Amino acid sequence: MTSSINQSAVIMLNEPPENIKAEQLVIGALLSNNDLIGQVAERLKPEHFYSPLNSEIYREAKALFYEGRAANPVTLKTRITAQGPKGQSVPQYMMACTVGAASPMHLHEYADQLIELAVRRNLMVLSGSVASRAMSGAANTNELLEEIDASILELRTDIEGSEDTAAALPAVVSELESNIVSRMNGEDAKVPLTGLTDLDNSMTGLRPKRLVVMAGRPGMGKSQAMVAFARRVARQGYGVGIASLEIDRQEWVSRLISAEAALGHGEKITYSDIQNGKLTDQQFLKFQKYSRSTSELRVKITDAGGLSAAQIEAKARLWKSDFERQGITLGVIFVDYLGLMRKSERYRGNLVHELGELVWALKCMAKRLDICVVLLAQLNRAVESRDDKRPVMSDLRDSGSIEEHADQVLLLYRPAYYDAHDPNPSHEALERFERRANDLLIRIGKNRLGPCRDHTVYCSVETGDIASKSQRGLS
């Protein structure tokens, strides 16, 4: 049986699935009517063609189309480096393709077929690579499984990305009207909320398909805000995922238990004391109580380091499936943080493009999985050299691509952090520190769904207690 399987595999590997005729029909249609390029350009990629010549013709035709120029055998002649088939020049080959072009009616059918065949070829290559690495034992098993997950996800995305996701306008209007009527009738919006009323009103919650970037310098309360938001979203009945590339899972759980005690019950157990095991007998009893209630939260955490965007999405898909089996909706994925994500080799050495690619991948993940993604990011050191250290959008590291892809950007600032680090504090500075020791400024630097405003909330760094000042009885 084994030898039979191996023999079949060899035959398959020697004859990868392809359809050159379909490729020629597509090329012919696009060269005959350039307007059709715009209909397939988003889905069909040059690498979906098996023939190197067809792939190059498509790539160059697409480039000419986006330049606003005609793409035909004459304009493409000098741009194609590949050789034509035996007995034919490249222009002759392209002319032959146009003679037998696919009709516009069948173009999408042929394009989808090319995409599926390309995915099958890549699956064959992947399976061979996996078998080879598994046999050699050179790769760590967990790492190999994660790479397989990421690779499968990329192939799945190819197929899913080829599906038509357009919706008829009447259906969208009807859905919007239904949501408005529900809100007018006093029904809660079916979106996860941060629990900070004013902030939720400005952001309209942590809506599905949105990418929220939460940025600040070290010590500004990013982790505390993330834990508080994650806990509140989970308490609303949603599933939550945390991809922590910096902090290990035990510290995250310590922070969640501390926040559970503070936010849910107004009791103080610092997460540092939990981590260090410095608890009195009474505190330990409280720890056991709140650890049990924390265990009820629908939160999944991975603390694997150096994950790529594809690996994070692969984990998110598994979490989503697991939650759905329990009748739970995955609401938010938190990623901590951008600078520690594994970058691809595509833009190696160009940090702006590297980070932009990661941010865009997470934005696409939010749309594909119908969830909100909250991405933590660092602000650059330019903040430290200013007298006014309140953050602005230009403080985002390589902000152009991050600002472009994010739906909302929250900039965090704790003035007490700088007050406490004043080497020669005056009496006035000490009073100022006492007055704003628990102030956290959440500045909405970008907001596609509403106004950009500053919100000052209460924040306890020790416990992760973050609440609107009105909720704390403060003015």
Side-chain angles (χ1 to χ4, degrees):
M1 183 69 178
T2 304
S3 59
S4 170
I5 293 174
N6 288 338
Q7 186 177 4
S8 299
V10 171
I11 293 172
M12 286 180 63
L13 288 171
N14 287 335
E15 300 177 6
E18 45 82 7
N19 189 337
I20 299 298
K21 182 59 179 177
E23 293 183 11
Q24 292 169 341
L25 291 172
V26 170
I27 292 293
L30 301 182
L31 297 186
S32 299
N33 182 353
N34 287 177
D35 289 340
L36 297 176
I37 296 176
Q39 295 184 21
V40 298
E42 187 176 342
R43 300 182 296 131
L44 188 62
K45 302 173 184 176
E47 53 266 33
H48 292 146
F49 290 82
Y50 180 70
S51 160
L53 175 58
N54 291 337
S55 177
E56 187 175 6
I57 292 172
Y58 176 69
R59 184 180 67 246
E60 295 302 323
K62 189 175 174 181
L64 285 173
F65 174 77
Y66 282 120
E67 291 170 9
R69 299 162 60 190
N72 55 51
V74 176
T75 57
L76 287 167
K77 178 180 177 180
T78 58
R79 298 174 69 108
I80 306 300
T81 59
Q83 296 295 311
K86 189 173 181 180
Q88 268 187 317
S89 67
V90 172
Q92 288 173 334
Y93 174 77
M94 289 189 285
M95 285 299 298
C97 289
T98 60
V99 171
S103 71
M105 186 184 302
H106 297 120
L107 176 63
H108 292 280
E109 180 182 338
Y110 287 123
D112 287 343
Q113 184 182 131
L114 298 187
I115 293 169
E116 183 171 343
L117 289 170
V119 170
R120 290 178 180 275
R121 291 194 298 270
N122 286 329
L123 274 173
M124 290 168 62
V125 173
L126 174 63
S127 62
S129 172
V130 169
S132 175
R133 296 181 65 188
M135 288 284 287
S136 69
N140 176 279
T141 303
N142 288 332
E143 290 179 358
L144 185 57
L145 287 171
E146 287 189 354
E147 289 179 20
I148 294 170
D149 284 340
S151 298
I152 292 293
L153 173 61
E154 290 177 4
L155 297 179
R156 188 192 301 275
T157 301
D158 240 356
I159 290 291
E160 292 178 353
S162 70
E163 296 173 356
D164 186 4
T165 57
L169 190 58
V172 179
V173 171
S174 175
E175 183 182 7
L176 177 61
E177 183 178 339
S178 175
N179 289 338
I180 292 173
V181 170
S182 296
R183 297 299 297 274
M184 291 175 66
N185 291 335
E187 298 177 22
D188 290 335
K190 296 179 180 179
V191 298
L193 302 172
T194 68
L196 303 176
T197 306
D198 292 339
L199 184 63
D200 284 323
N201 288 337
S202 295
M203 296 176 63
T204 65
L206 300 172
R207 303 183 70 84
K209 304 184 189 302
R210 301 292 177 179
L211 172 65
V212 179
V213 172
M214 190 158 60
R217 290 291 297 156
M220 292 299 108
K222 297 188 297 297
S223 297
Q224 285 83 357
M226 178 174 158
V227 169
F229 294 172
R231 178 195 167 276
R232 286 194 173 110
V233 169
R235 280 285 171 221
Q236 293 158 31
Y238 291 96
V240 172
I242 297 175
S244 175
L245 283 69
E246 183 176 32
I247 299 174
D248 70 71
R249 68 182 68 187
Q250 283 203 6
E251 182 173 341
W252 272 120
V253 173
S254 297
R255 288 172 181 265
L256 280 169
I257 294 172
S258 181
E260 175 75 2
L263 292 167
H265 306 276
E267 299 201 46
K268 181 178 179 180
I269 308 176
T270 70
Y271 69 83
S272 58
D273 284 345
I274 294 174
Q275 277 285 96
N276 297 328
K278 294 181 178 179
L279 301 176
T280 64
D281 290 344
Q282 186 176 8
Q283 285 178 319
F284 182 69
L285 291 175
K286 291 180 180 178
F287 163 78
Q288 289 182 310
K289 173 184 175 181
Y290 298 124
S291 62
R292 284 193 292 271
S293 58
T294 299
S295 298
E296 299 169 359
L297 297 176
R298 279 85 169 215
V299 178
K300 294 185 181 291
I301 303 174
T302 177
D303 57 3
L307 294 178
S308 66
Q311 288 173 322
I312 290 173
E313 182 167 348
K315 291 182 180 296
R317 284 179 179 273
L318 291 173
W319 294 341
K320 182 179 176 70
S321 297
D322 188 37
F323 281 132
E324 287 176 347
R325 283 193 292 270
Q326 303 171 54
I328 300 166
T329 299
L330 175 60
V332 185
I333 293 287
F334 294 87
V335 181
D336 182 21
Y337 67 97
L338 175 61
L340 295 179
M341 290 179 63
R342 182 186 300 172
K343 305 170 185 65
S344 74
E345 295 294 315
R346 182 180 303 176
Y347 299 112
R348 187 171 186 177
N350 188 325
L351 187 59
V352 174
H353 288 162
E354 286 178 336
L355 296 182
E357 184 181 35
L358 291 174
V359 175
W360 176 244
L362 293 177
K363 167 63 180 175
C364 291
M365 177 179 90
K367 296 188 75 171
R368 280 193 290 263
L369 300 187
D370 195 30
I371 59 173
C372 178
V373 175
V374 178
L375 171 64
L376 273 60
Q378 293 274 21
L379 295 180
N380 62 46
R381 291 189 177 88
V383 177
E384 312 295 343
S385 60
R386 297 199 305 259
D387 290 334
D388 185 354
K389 293 179 170 53
R390 287 176 297 179
V392 294
M393 288 295 288
S394 59
D395 294 325
L396 269 172
R397 283 181 174 166
D398 305 290
S399 61
S401 56
I402 300 174
E403 181 179 353
E404 177 186 355
H405 300 319
D407 295 291
Q408 292 158 317
V409 177
L410 307 181
L411 304 171
L412 274 56
Y413 167 69
R414 282 199 317 112
Y417 175 86
Y418 294 103
D419 295 339
H421 287 78
D422 188 342
N424 300 299
S426 63
H427 178 70
E428 181 182 343
L430 291 173
E431 287 184 341
R432 188 168 60 244
F433 171 76
E434 291 294 331
R435 189 171 62 251
R436 58 186 191 178
N438 296 112
D439 282 3
L440 170 63
L441 171 68
I442 302 179
R443 168 168 287 177
I444 303 179
K446 177 185 178 182
N447 190 5
R448 281 193 176 134
L449 300 174
C452 292
R453 292 175 177 164
D454 287 356
H455 297 277
T456 301
V457 300
Y458 174 89
C459 172
S460 169
V461 177
E462 291 182 316
T463 64
D465 181 0
I466 293 181
S468 299
K469 289 199 169 188
S470 59
Q471 291 172 307
R472 299 283 304 189
L474 302 171
S475 59

